Amino acid sequence: DRYYGTVDATPLFLVLLSELWRWSGDDAIVRELEQAARRALGWIDSYGDRDGDGFVEYLRRGTHGIDNQNWKDSWNSMVFHDGSVAQAPIAPVEVQGYVYDAKLRIAELARRVWGDDEAATRLEREAGELRTRFNDLFWLEKRGWYALGLDRDKRPVDALASNMGHLLWSGIVPAERVAQ
């Protein structure tokens, strides 16, 4: 009778693992959770990116539960500027920032703790490519803010909401857009 659908827990787990390591310096926990972290990265690139476009999307597959599986999970939290509800699958703006941050952080762990330079280099490249695609497709020049997400037809959801604020700590926003 419980439903815990969410699209952001996986990249946030990776961010948390990195933050734990940065605060504690505990290489052992990072080694202990290496396989879990690698599986989380695998989930992001396969199940998270449902259509292979490089963005993590969500779509409720169960017969019950919440439709929106991100920061604001109410049924009407993903709407266009005109008030119409976006249809899933949806690639939420903040989750792309989480994925960007997670890949860079795990690249650091791969290089410094796991001794895996190849994985680190790949993750840094993937993060850079995500940042470029994200800023090309999510930035709404006429509005002066990022789209709330991309709907099932890859249309930018153009409403302004708190979700975009999460991008600031992720590092995915170029310096020249931070003030906006």
Side-chain angles (χ1 to χ4, degrees):
D1 64 346
R2 295 201 184 5
Y3 182 85
Y4 298 106
T6 182
V7 72
D8 53 12
T10 302
L12 288 174
F13 159 70
L14 297 171
V15 170
L16 180 61
L17 177 60
S18 166
E19 223 24 53
L20 172 64
W21 176 76
R22 289 178 180 183
W23 278 79
S24 70
D26 185 357
D27 289 355
I29 190 72
V30 175
R31 281 195 220 60
E32 180 182 335
L33 293 174
E34 177 180 357
Q35 292 311 309
R38 289 182 187 270
R39 284 191 304 274
L41 289 167
W43 181 90
I44 287 169
D45 292 338
S46 57
Y47 297 102
D49 183 3
R50 303 174 53 81
D51 59 6
D53 68 350
F55 299 117
V56 171
E57 302 96 8
Y58 64 80
L59 173 67
R60 188 188 79 203
R61 292 176 29 201
T63 58
H64 70 284
I66 57 177
D67 289 326
N68 291 313
Q69 300 176 4
N70 58 324
W71 166 240
K72 293 186 308 199
D73 58 11
S74 65
W75 70 271
N76 63 349
S77 64
M78 298 301 281
V79 297
F80 290 90
H81 193 256
D82 68 4
S84 60
V85 177
Q87 298 300 307
I90 296 173
V93 66
E94 72 278 12
V95 173
Q96 312 320 310
Y98 301 162
V99 170
Y100 171 78
D101 190 28
K103 287 193 175 197
L104 288 179
R105 286 169 174 267
I106 298 305
E108 178 184 30
L109 296 179
R111 184 170 281 118
R112 295 186 58 191
V113 180
W114 302 334
D116 189 344
D117 286 333
E118 183 179 324
T121 300
R122 178 182 52 79
L123 289 167
E124 289 165 344
R125 183 186 73 249
E126 290 173 2
E129 291 168 355
L130 172 59
R131 188 174 199 252
T132 298
R133 278 193 322 278
F134 172 80
N135 279 287
D136 288 347
L137 295 175
F138 277 73
W139 180 249
L140 305 174
E141 188 65 41
K142 290 182 182 179
R143 298 247 187 242
W145 63 70
Y146 285 95
L148 186 56
L150 301 179
D151 77 350
R152 70 177 173 199
D153 298 319
K154 304 301 179 190
R155 293 179 304 155
V157 181
D158 62 349
L160 182 61
S162 63
N163 305 54
M164 294 77 156
H166 295 225
L167 299 176
L168 295 174
W169 63 260
S170 76
I172 201 167
V173 178
E176 65 271 12
R177 289 188 181 151
V178 168
Q180 285 181 274

